[in-house]
Amino acid sequence: MLRDVRAGGDSAVRRYASLLDDADLDTLEVPEAELEAAWDDTPDDLKQALQLAARRITEFHEATLPRDWVDLSGGLGELVRPLERVGLYAPGGTAAYPSTVLMTAIPARVAGVSEVVLATPRRGQEPLNSTVLAAARIAGVDAVYQVGGVPAIGALAYGTETIRKVDKICGPGNVFVAYAKRMVQGQVDIDGVFGPTETILLADESANPVFCAADLIAQAEHDPMASAILVTDSQNLIYTVEAELDGQITGNPRAETIRQSLERQGCIVLVDDFTEAIAVANHIAPEHLCLMVANPWAWAGQVRNAGGLFLGEFSPEVMGDYIAGPSHVMPTGGTARFSSALSVHHFLRTMPVVGLSLQRFTDLGAAAVRIAEAEGLPGHAGAVQARLDHIAAMQTR
C-alpha cells in the first residue's frame, strides 16, 4: 500500500479510500464549508472545554520552549529551529479523540512549525467527527484531509498531488497505522510506535479506595489490552479496592471491555514497603505512574522511569488525558526508560554554532592538530596547521 501511494499519488489514495472505507472522494481535502458546519454543530459547552484545554496545553508548552544561546567570548552557541511541516493522524469511528488533536497540534504550533495538517478517515458517506474538526480549528490546523489508515501515512510521508510531504508524523492509530509509521521512519520522523495504554497506581493506606478503583476503571475501559495495575503495601486497601471495582463496574456501559482488560492485563501487587513499590514502577517504566500516597512530592524524586507522573489523589491520569497541560502522547511498553512524552522539543531541531575568534583558535589549534594526526587524517591536521602558520607569520611581521 505504501508503494502504491508513493507511485500513484492521489489516485492510489482514492482507490484505497473506496476499497477500505467505502468512501468515494471527489477531493482529498475537507471543504471549508464542512469544517464550518462541524464547528457550528459542536455544542458551545464542549467548545469552551476544548478551548480551556487548548489554553492550558499552550501555557505548559510555552514554559518548556528552549531558546537560542550564544557565548561570543567562547565562540559557541546553539540555534533552535522548528520543523517546517507536520502531519497529524486522527483515527475515525469510535476511536476519534479530539483531545489528541489538541495534544499533538498545539505543541507543534508553540514550537513554531510553519504548517500543521491533519488526516482523518471518512467512513462511507458518514460525516467526519465534528468534535475532531472543531479541535483542529481550535489548535490552528492548516488543512484537514479525509483519508485514513496506511494510505494516509504514505501520503504524509511521500507526498501526493494534493498532500504535501511532511517532516514528521504524529498521532495514534491501529496496528496497521503503527507499522506504516515504523516503515516510513527515516523518510520522515515519527512521534513513536505506541502499544496499548498502561497505568500503574502506587497507593499506600491513606489512599481513597473509591478513587483508586475509578482510576483503574478509567484505564481499563480503553480496550481489552489496556493495562491497569495497583501496587500497594496495604492489604486492607486491596480488599476495599477490589470491592469498589465490583461495585463501580456493575452497570458501566463498557463493563465487558473493563473486565476483559483487568482480567488479561491488570493485576494488584502487594509489596513490603513503598520503597519496593517505587522499584517495581521504575523497572516496568509505565506510560502513566500515579502516586496516591500521603506525601507524593516526597517520593517524586525517586521516580526514574515513567512517561508521565501524576501526584496525589486530585491529579488523576484522566486530567492529563484532557486538560492538565502536558501532552498525553506518552511512551508505552517500557520505552519510558529512554523516551519522553511528546513536547515542543519533538518539533524542534538544534544547530550548534562555532564562531571562534583568532585568539580562541590559536589557543585550541595545536590540540586539534594532534588529535587529527592520531586519527591518521593529515588533511584535517593541515587545515588547522595552515591557519596556525598564517597567524604565526602575521605576528612576526
Side-chain angles (χ1 to χ4, degrees):
M1 292 171 72
L2 290 174
R3 286 195 299 267
D4 286 349
V5 170
R6 190 172 194 173
D10 283 357
S11 63
V13 174
R14 286 195 179 94
R15 184 171 69 255
Y16 280 117
S18 176
L19 179 66
L20 300 177
D21 295 321
D22 195 28
D24 185 13
L25 303 179
D26 294 328
T27 176
L28 298 186
E29 186 171 355
V30 178
E32 183 63 30
E34 184 171 354
L35 296 175
E36 289 292 337
W39 178 255
D40 293 339
D41 289 343
T42 304
D44 288 342
D45 61 338
L46 180 53
K47 289 179 185 175
Q48 293 167 5
L50 293 171
Q51 288 166 336
L52 174 59
R55 289 194 297 273
R56 291 188 59 87
I57 297 166
T58 300
E59 290 169 359
F60 174 84
H61 289 285
E62 284 178 343
T64 68
L65 194 63
R67 308 292 180 184
D68 295 349
W69 66 270
V70 176
D71 176 10
L72 293 178
S73 63
L76 296 176
E78 186 175 67
L79 303 182
V80 181
R81 296 292 181 264
L83 303 181
E84 292 185 9
R85 184 173 164 83
V86 167
L88 311 179
Y89 184 75
T94 58
Y97 298 127
S99 58
T100 299
V101 177
L102 300 180
M103 297 284 181
T104 51
I106 292 175
R109 279 303 189 201
V110 172
V113 173
S114 301
E115 188 173 7
V116 179
V117 301
L118 171 68
T120 188
R122 183 179 294 278
R123 307 296 192 192
Q125 300 306 309
E126 296 178 7
L128 295 172
N129 186 287
S130 61
T131 311
V132 166
L133 298 184
R137 174 169 173 164
I138 291 170
V141 169
D142 294 292
V144 181
Y145 301 108
Q146 51 189 340
V147 296
V150 175
I153 302 302
L156 293 171
Y158 303 126
T160 72
E161 297 89 335
T162 300
I163 303 174
R164 290 175 52 208
K165 170 183 167 61
V166 301
D167 299 312
K168 184 164 190 158
I169 299 173
C170 298
N174 61 23
V175 64
F176 299 106
V177 168
Y179 274 102
K181 288 170 65 179
R182 175 176 287 175
M183 291 175 71
V184 301
Q185 187 176 20
Q187 182 74 26
V188 294
D189 192 19
I190 63 172
D191 54 351
V193 178
F194 304 108
T197 186
E198 57 203 28
T199 287
I200 290 183
L201 182 61
L202 303 187
D204 63 13
E205 61 183 3
S206 71
N208 186 319
V210 175
F211 295 165
C212 291
D215 290 351
L216 294 172
I217 288 172
Q219 183 66 22
E221 74 173 349
H222 278 283
D223 62 71
M225 295 302 294
S227 176
I229 297 173
L230 171 65
V231 180
T232 182
D233 58 356
S234 171
Q235 183 69 66
N236 289 334
L237 182 67
I238 292 176
Y239 295 143
T240 53
V241 168
E242 286 178 334
E244 278 294 332
L245 283 171
D246 288 338
Q248 292 186 32
I249 293 172
T250 301
N252 189 300
R254 298 182 65 85
E256 182 177 355
T257 298
I258 294 167
R259 291 189 188 280
Q260 288 177 354
S261 170
L262 293 177
E263 290 169 3
R264 296 177 183 178
Q265 304 295 329
C267 66
I268 296 177
V269 180
L270 179 64
V271 294
D272 291 334
D273 53 43
F274 215 71
T275 298
E276 185 181 6
I278 293 287
V280 169
N282 282 330
H283 176 73
I284 296 174
E287 178 186 12
H288 311 112
L289 179 60
C290 309
L291 302 190
M292 299 275 281
V293 296
N295 188 2
W297 287 98
W299 292 97
Q302 297 189 37
V303 176
R304 294 182 58 86
N305 302 323
L309 184 58
F310 302 84
L311 302 179
E313 61 185 12
F314 295 108
S315 300
E317 184 265 320
V318 171
M319 294 298 285
D321 282 342
Y322 298 124
I323 205 164
S327 176
H328 68 206
V329 180
M330 296 181 178
T332 62
T335 59
R337 292 179 293 108
F338 52 80
S339 57
S340 304
L342 190 73
S343 70
V344 291
H345 301 85
H346 290 81
F347 301 103
L348 297 170
R349 297 169 294 109
T350 58
M351 294 184 291
V353 177
V354 179
L356 301 177
S357 66
L358 183 148
Q359 185 59 54
R360 185 69 68 178
F361 174 84
T362 302
D363 294 341
L364 301 174
V369 169
R370 185 67 188 90
I371 295 171
E373 291 173 342
E375 292 187 349
L377 295 172
H380 283 62
V384 177
Q385 190 62 55
R387 289 170 170 80
L388 291 174
D389 293 345
H390 175 74
I391 294 169
M394 289 177 57
Q395 292 174 344
T396 59
R397 292 177 185 174

